[in-house]
Amino acid sequence: MYKSKKFSYDYDEYETEGKSVETMGEDILNDEEFEELEELIVGDWGDSWEDSIQPFLDFIVDHAERFSHIKSLFIGAMEFDECEVSWIIQGNYEKLLNALPNLKRLTIKGSTDLELGKISHENLKRLTIICGGLPSHVIKSIETAYLPNLEELCLYLGIEDYGFDGSIDTIRSLLENSDFPKLKSLGILDSEIQDEVTEIVLESKYIHTIKQLGLSCGTLSDRGGQLLLEKLPSLPNLESIDLSWHYMSSEMMEKLDRLGLAIDMDDQQEEEEYDGETWRYPMLTE
């Protein structure tokens, strides 16, 4: 485990003490524990729904040598009562990734104004993006990324209303064209097309080599459950499968459970009927 510390500002610090995204970098550098830290967790930077994190990202780039010992970075670690995930104003991470060659883990929460640009990083092992809607240009950046040591990839797709402007073809292209030879854990989560995502993931080149599979937090129904029921027995490489927050029936859950595999099927959801239509919702949107 990395030695970690979270940095954030509360309402009083922002309103009365003048703390903001512009002061976050200096405050972190001046922290007495900074030189010993390996992980930085950045929460609310003040007015996170109006002020982009970009000045802080630029600060790291400008002081790259001071941050060179950081191995893990989480930007946007906020609960909904601090800032809804769809409101978090992110930034462009291309220069930051280039400036931190020793970084091994990057977690980003929020996708508004998020840019990854051209990704090339020798040492990054884990990339996670948590959001209510992941733009297709961000997915394309990951698809074309040079990440030879990436072991874990976790993407929340979300819905169109909050930023996801792709389709199942976007995910198919990602899985077909990306090149992550050391990938051990793959999560494509939180989608309103989770059944289709499940089908594509089960057909992907990674499915016979990964150890952990995540298809949770979305609208997975018995359709996707049946695909898993048929495919999972041929995948002895999988050590754990996360299907939590789903819309599968109890009957399908029992069938999957009888496979004797480590499958998380917690948080069974119920479909909603409205005006003659059936509605299913991903876990995280707004």
Side-chain angles (χ1 to χ4, degrees), residues 146-166:
Y146 175 68
L147 296 170
N149 287 296
L150 190 71
E151 296 179 357
E152 300 179 36
L153 177 64
C154 181
L155 303 177
Y156 285 59
L157 298 185
I159 65 174
E160 182 179 359
D161 287 349
Y162 293 103
F164 178 63
D165 57 356

Side-chain angles (χ1 to χ4, degrees), residues 83-149:
C83 186
E84 297 282 4
V85 65
S86 63
W87 298 359
I88 300 172
I89 309 298
Q90 277 292 341
N92 190 317
Y93 283 76
E94 183 172 358
K95 291 182 179 180
L96 179 136
L97 283 165
N98 291 331
L100 298 179
N102 295 318
L103 193 68
K104 296 184 182 296
R105 300 178 181 177
L106 176 62
T107 301
I108 300 168
K109 189 171 184 179
S111 61
T112 300
D113 292 347
L114 176 62
E115 299 278 350
L116 296 183
K118 185 176 181 180
I119 304 171
S120 179
H121 201 287
E122 290 279 354
N123 294 312
L124 195 70
K125 291 187 175 183
R126 179 188 298 177
L127 176 61
T128 301
I129 302 179
I130 305 165
C131 64
L134 190 61
S136 58
H137 66 81
V138 175
I139 299 173
K140 179 61 69 173
S141 287
I142 298 169
E143 176 184 326
T144 58
Y146 175 68
L147 296 170
N149 287 296

Side-chain angles (χ1 to χ4, degrees), residues 6-11 13-15 19-24 41-56 74-91 93 108-114 286:
K6 183 175 180 178
F7 296 88
S8 64
Y9 297 136
D10 60 25
Y11 179 82
E13 288 172 316
Y14 174 72
E15 286 291 334
K19 299 296 185 181
S20 72
V21 68
E22 302 283 352
T23 64
M24 181 71 75
I41 300 174
V42 177
D44 191 354
W45 48 86
D47 209 354
S48 305
W49 54 91
E50 289 188 358
D51 295 337
S52 167
I53 191 61
Q54 194 64 53
F56 176 67
F74 185 168
I75 303 290
M78 303 174 220
E79 299 300 324
F80 71 91
D81 56 341
E82 296 174 285
C83 186
E84 297 282 4
V85 65
S86 63
W87 298 359
I88 300 172
I89 309 298
Q90 277 292 341
Y93 283 76
I108 300 168
K109 189 171 184 179
S111 61
T112 300
D113 292 347
L114 176 62
E286 184 178 7

